[in-house]
DNA sequence: CCCGAACTGGCAGCAACGTGCCACCCCCGA
DNA sequence: TCGGGGGTGGCACGTTGCTGCCAGTTCGGG
């Protein structure tokens, strides 16, 4: 494959070398391109350069085509620019999901044959390790796929960037609601009047777009 | 560590060899023992043998102690025997979580220094690969930790084995509730009387142990 | 055929929730 | 000092949800 050796693993230094030495490898994906990263700033610059060279095979979501699965963390959301880029990636046929867990190191598995792991950022240039040992690659793929499975589809996360800041008091109200207290008991516990408590609940339900308390419970848990 | 070599990775054949060659390694965990597996039948027999030799350091949940984190899939639940073993593991100080995603290959990371990945079961004896390359180990740890983070605490899953079978009608009722319909509209849509619909809701809430509809919504989403 | 168990539906009454209205208070700018 | 806006609490009233009671139905066994 390209000019790379058949050694169990090779360490590359910096994205430039990654693209030069492993570009062919990345572009050779035929069945599955599985990729996990915290956000879009690291990692993707290099691989996008690979694909922008026109060497990416067509994405066919159907069986037999290349399944492109990407997992990012919530840090990939946040600003509109990132969200737009994510939406563009998703629109190009890739399946994009957002994991609620942190992904400290970027990882990538190609067709279950090769894994590429990012190293630490120490000493300026980031290192990348290319792994070919089948059992190790399959183990990494298994873990990355588990993270993928546990993550939520991008579509369900896109609008959530504007409501991560939840009032401290609102959290208390949600807690009381989730605890199954009656309005009266909840208001007493929170030290506010029944009227005010119900105002809070009404505001929360309006925020969630819920028309019943059951629905509000479902939606609130979905949003965290 | 022990008699093992410093090679980038070593492949061991069968659990017996795993215990013989990597037992010291496993028992040498001092900071973090991170482990993922589908269930308790594979993998744990060997490692338990290691620990049963009295070589496991004391688990101190506090800082500075050994953090023992185990992720299993739902297949580790199901029968009472497995649940009892899991509860025993958790009671011994390990942090046990259940991942909703499949974990095709068992994986284990010790103190962020060594990773052990299970191979396929082909050819009778299962193989195990011991990885020492720092960047690869850290990449694996990152992925395994993400799976750990995304998984749910065992305590929240224990009672769930006896309610995976949910009545078709109950699902419809839950759907109507989650849709935010009033009882009247829901009963009409489901073709039953208001009284019967409310009976269903009351039964569901009793099953969930909820005392308010909001709480029922939260709990129902947690249970799926 | 009768009986009982299990389920359903209607009714009534009560508890809980939702909201409009108004009085009150506090803060801030004029 | 005087409003005015914004948040709060009390009150009232309507809606929705919860449940005990009873009558009707279905089904199976005796």
């Amino acid at each position: 494959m390209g000019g790379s050796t058949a050694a169990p693993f090779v360490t590359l230094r910096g994205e430039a070398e990654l693209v030069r030495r492993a570009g062919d490898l990345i572009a050779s994906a035929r069945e599955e391109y599985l990729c996990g990263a915290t956000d879009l700033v690291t990692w993707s610059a290099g691989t996008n350069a690979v694909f922008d060279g026109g060497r990416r095979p067509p994405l066919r979501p159907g069986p037999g085509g290349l399944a492109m699965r990407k997992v990012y963390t919530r840090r990939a959301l946040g600003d509109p620019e990132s969200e737009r880029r994510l939406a563009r990636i998703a629109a190009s046929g890739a399946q994009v999901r957002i994991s609620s867990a942190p992904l400290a190191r970027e990882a990538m598995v190609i067709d279950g044959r090769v894994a590429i792991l990012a190293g630490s950022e120490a000493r300026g240039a980031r290192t990348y390790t290319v792994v070919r040992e089948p059992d190790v690659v399959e183990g990494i793929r298994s873990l990355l796929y588990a993270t993928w499975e546990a993550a939520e589809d991008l579509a369900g996360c896109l609008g959530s960037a504007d409501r991560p800041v939840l009032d401290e008091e609102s959290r208390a109200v949600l807690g009381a609601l989730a605890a199954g207290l009656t309005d009266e008991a909840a208001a007493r516990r929170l030290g506010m009047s029944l009227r005010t408590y119900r105002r809070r609940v009404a505001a929360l339900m309006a925020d969630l777009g819920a028309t019943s308390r059951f629905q509000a419970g479902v939606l609130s848990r979905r949003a965290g």
Side-chain angles (χ1 to χ4, degrees), chain A:
Chain A
M1 205 64 58
S4 35
T5 98
F9 39 60
V10 182
T11 298
L12 309 176
R13 213 163 277 285
E15 293 208 351
E17 189 173 0
L18 171 68
V19 172
R20 197 169 63 247
R21 299 276 302 275
D24 288 339
L25 207 51
I26 296 173
S28 75
R30 283 295 170 270
E31 298 169 8
E32 186 194 51
Y33 179 89
L34 189 55
C35 160
T38 64
D39 49 40
L40 292 159
V41 297
T42 337
W43 179 269
S44 68
T47 58
N48 281 344
V50 171
F51 290 144
D52 285 351
R55 294 188 293 169
R56 190 177 68 182
L59 292 175
R60 284 156 300 173
L66 173 63
M68 199 153 185
R69 298 190 238 265
K70 288 161 171 277
V71 211
Y72 297 100
T73 69
R74 293 203 179 280
R75 293 184 49 180
L77 302 171
D79 71 304
E81 167 62 15
S82 294
E83 293 204 6
R84 234 173 306 124
R85 286 179 59 194
L86 274 179
R88 201 141 24 86
I89 291 174
S92 76
Q95 303 170 58
V96 180
R97 292 191 181 178
I98 301 296
S99 165
S100 57
L103 289 168
R105 301 292 183 99
E106 285 79 12
M108 171 169 140
V109 178
I110 300 166
D111 290 344
R113 293 181 349 252
V114 185
I116 302 180
L117 299 173
S120 63
E121 296 193 75
R123 299 184 316 275
R126 199 185 192 91
T127 61
Y128 296 92
T129 305
V130 181
V131 183
R132 300 188 115 93
E133 164 70 24
D135 276 349
V136 177
V137 171
E138 192 49 41
I140 293 170
R141 201 201 86 89
S142 153
L143 292 173
L144 189 48
Y145 190 77
T147 304
W148 158 266
E149 272 290 333
E152 191 183 0
D153 197 87
L154 175 65
C157 305
L158 268 187
S160 64
D162 50 355
R163 72 169 114 98
V165 281
L166 196 53
D167 194 351
E168 185 55 39
E169 195 182 51
S170 298
R171 295 198 166 277
V173 173
L174 279 179
L177 280 169
L181 302 175
T182 68
D183 288 8
E184 197 173 358
R188 221 175 13 241
R189 174 173 304 185
L190 299 182
M192 66 179 71
S193 82
L194 185 61
R195 185 71 187 86
T196 303
Y197 176 78
R198 286 182 172 158
R199 255 197 271 264
R200 297 280 176 283
V201 174
L204 279 175
M205 288 180 54
D207 283 350
L208 292 167
T211 58
S212 75
R213 288 203 177 189
F214 186 96
Q215 189 182 24
V218 172
L219 295 176
S220 82
R221 177 143 181 104
R222 178 184 305 172

